[in-house]
Amino acid sequence: MKLTGNWSFPAPVRFGVGRISEIGEACIGVGIKKPLLVTDRGLEEMAITGGTLDLLQDAGLGRALFAAVDPNPSERNLEDGLRLFRDGGFDGVVAFGGGSGLDLGKTLAFMAGQSRPVWDFEDVGDWWTRADPAGIHPIVAVPTTAGTGSEVGRASVITNSATNEKKIIFHPKMLPSAVICDPELTIGLPKAITAGTGLDAFAHCVEAFSSPHYHPLCQGIALEGMRLVKEYLPRAHDDGFDIEARAQMMSAAAMGASAFQKGLGAVHALSHPIGAHHGTHHGTTNAVFLPAVLEFNAEAIRTRFDRVAAYLGIDGGFDGFRAFVDTLNERLGIPKTLADLGVRNPDIDRLVADALRDPSTGGNPVEMTESNTRALYERLL
């Protein structure tokens, strides 16, 4: 099977090896004549970034880069990028990288024409209607990891550096105007990043499937996304040059982000405060929490995950699935506790309060309370 295609779900996607060569065409197609490529510090000097800038330059679109993006991007990164974008007269963004580069790039394009502070557009009720749609610039998204799926999402996660809270910024027009998914860009990723990002995609699928909200389209996407991760993440981890595994994982990442329109849950609600306060890798933090959250939600999700286990070829129904997650984490070198992840002297009261304010709590099948949320944190510490 040739793993190449053009999709229009939920954004126009050009998928396949070598399709980064179409970056100039993609920008011109959505009306971008002077793009700013936004990525994170780790990618600034890498060959894939330089090569993409070459392609933009060859297409007559200039050569401009903003890479002052932290692993957990903040409003400070956003402000620096907005100054460059506005002063340079750019008319669109190429959001390039993993979750941090994609999220910051999307938010920059969204905020470039707004007069209100970014926190006025948090994913609360209808706050997104406060934005001026005419001030939102087009986005071409190019993922270089297979996990976050932000390339097909309508939101970004930005850390408030004053409060150390991760905030979800949402607007329908934050969905990129075009996406290039080129698995070749993920070749040779370090094992730890492959594992953490891949398990982020897996957590998205598991939580979407667990959510009590009604969305049968996303339910089906989440199920197949879990299968792809089960089959191909170990291969991508073991052999960073396995292009079939890299392609299937890039598909799984986009599927996870599409599926969680149905909802996320306790994994993300617990993980966001840890990342904000302790700077941990988001996908790896999700993976640490996933086994405990599966147990926490067990009675609410057991029957549906009996069916998941059967589809995935896992014996033992829900209990077999939970055991599989433990085994997969161990195989990929995921820490068992937050202490093993590097979390030291956490403020449990603050973590609990932040987790309960996180919008992901609304998608968990078991109600999160002060006592059971505290118990989950204490168990993982």
Side-chain angles (χ1 to χ4, degrees):
M1 178 172 61
K2 189 174 183 181
L3 302 178
T4 300
N6 295 329
W7 309 329
S8 294
F9 183 83
V13 178
R14 304 173 185 224
F15 188 100
V17 172
R19 299 200 71 177
I20 191 59
S21 64
E22 301 171 28
I23 185 68
E25 178 185 321
C27 287
I28 294 167
V30 300
I32 300 176
K33 297 179 181 178
K34 190 177 181 182
L36 177 65
L37 191 148
V38 178
T39 193
D40 63 76
R41 303 177 200 276
L43 281 169
E44 183 173 9
E45 301 297 331
M46 292 191 68
I48 56 173
T49 307
T52 302
L53 288 168
D54 290 342
L55 290 166
L56 290 170
Q57 189 171 34
D58 292 345
L61 301 175
R63 185 187 186 91
L65 174 68
F66 176 73
V69 179
D70 297 324
N72 290 296
S74 71
E75 88 286 357
R76 293 174 179 171
N77 301 152
L78 176 62
E79 290 163 3
D80 291 343
L82 284 172
R83 278 193 294 273
L84 177 61
F85 187 91
R86 290 165 176 161
D87 292 346
F90 297 100
D91 63 357
V93 165
V94 174
F96 187 90
S100 55
L102 293 174
D103 278 8
L104 199 283
K106 287 164 54 182
T107 309
L108 196 160
F110 166 66
M111 287 297 298
Q114 306 304 320
S115 58
R116 304 178 68 136
V118 67
W119 311 128
D120 281 3
F121 307 110
E122 188 179 352
D123 188 14
V124 176
D126 65 352
W127 285 16
W128 64 271
T129 62
R130 297 169 170 177
D132 175 7
I136 303 172
H137 291 264
I139 304 158
V140 175
V142 183
T144 64
T145 65
T148 174
S150 185
E151 65 273 10
V152 293
R154 299 166 177 83
S156 295
V157 179
I158 304 294
T159 299
N160 185 326
S161 60
T163 63
N164 283 327
E165 291 178 282
K166 286 193 173 187
K167 298 290 189 179
I168 299 174
I169 309 302
F170 169 83
H171 192 280
K173 288 190 71 174
M174 286 177 72
L175 182 70
S177 306
V179 180
I180 293 179
C181 285
D182 185 341
E184 208 163 34
L185 299 179
T186 69
I187 287 291
L189 274 176
K191 288 181 181 292
I193 299 298
T194 299
T197 54
L199 289 170
D200 190 23
F202 189 65
H204 291 159
C205 293
V206 171
E207 290 217 281
F209 201 86
S210 301
S211 169
H213 302 318
Y214 179 71
H215 201 318
L217 286 77
C218 289
Q219 198 79 340
I221 293 168
L223 181 60
E224 177 65 2
M226 283 186 265
R227 185 190 71 82
L228 292 182
V229 174
K230 175 180 179 287
E231 297 296 327
Y232 292 101
L233 179 55
R235 281 177 49 177
H237 177 266
D238 293 350
D239 178 3
F241 293 87
D242 184 336
I243 193 65
E244 181 187 10
R246 292 292 186 185
Q248 297 284 17
M249 283 305 303
M250 188 164 269
S251 296
M255 292 168 74
S258 299
F260 73 59
Q261 294 179 57
K262 181 173 179 277
L264 291 170
V267 169
H268 279 76
L270 295 164
S271 177
H272 284 154
I274 293 293
H277 290 284
H278 297 275
T280 57
H281 181 269
H282 173 67
T284 307
T285 311
N286 283 345
V288 172
F289 278 114
L290 183 56
V293 170
L294 282 170
E295 184 174 336
F296 174 67
N297 289 332
E299 294 314 306
I301 64 174
R302 179 177 295 276
T303 300
R304 73 182 70 171
F305 274 86
D306 285 344
R307 296 193 296 269
V308 170
Y311 181 74
L312 299 182
I314 296 171
D315 293 331
F318 169 80
D319 293 328
F321 179 84
R322 188 173 59 180
F324 159 74
V325 172
D326 285 330
T327 301
L328 182 62
N329 275 5
E330 185 173 357
R331 186 191 190 294
L332 298 177
I334 299 299
K336 291 185 179 296
T337 69
L338 294 173
D340 293 338
L341 194 61
V343 175
R344 299 286 182 266
N345 302 314
D347 182 342
I348 297 292
D349 291 340
R350 179 64 187 276
L351 292 175
V352 170
D354 288 355
L356 292 176
R357 281 195 297 269
D358 192 285
S360 300
T361 58
N364 201 66
V366 174
E367 182 182 3
M368 295 178 68
T369 66
E370 192 279 336
S371 60
N372 62 31
T373 301
R374 180 179 297 274
L376 282 165
Y377 275 126
E378 290 176 345
R379 173 178 174 179
L380 269 297
L381 286 166

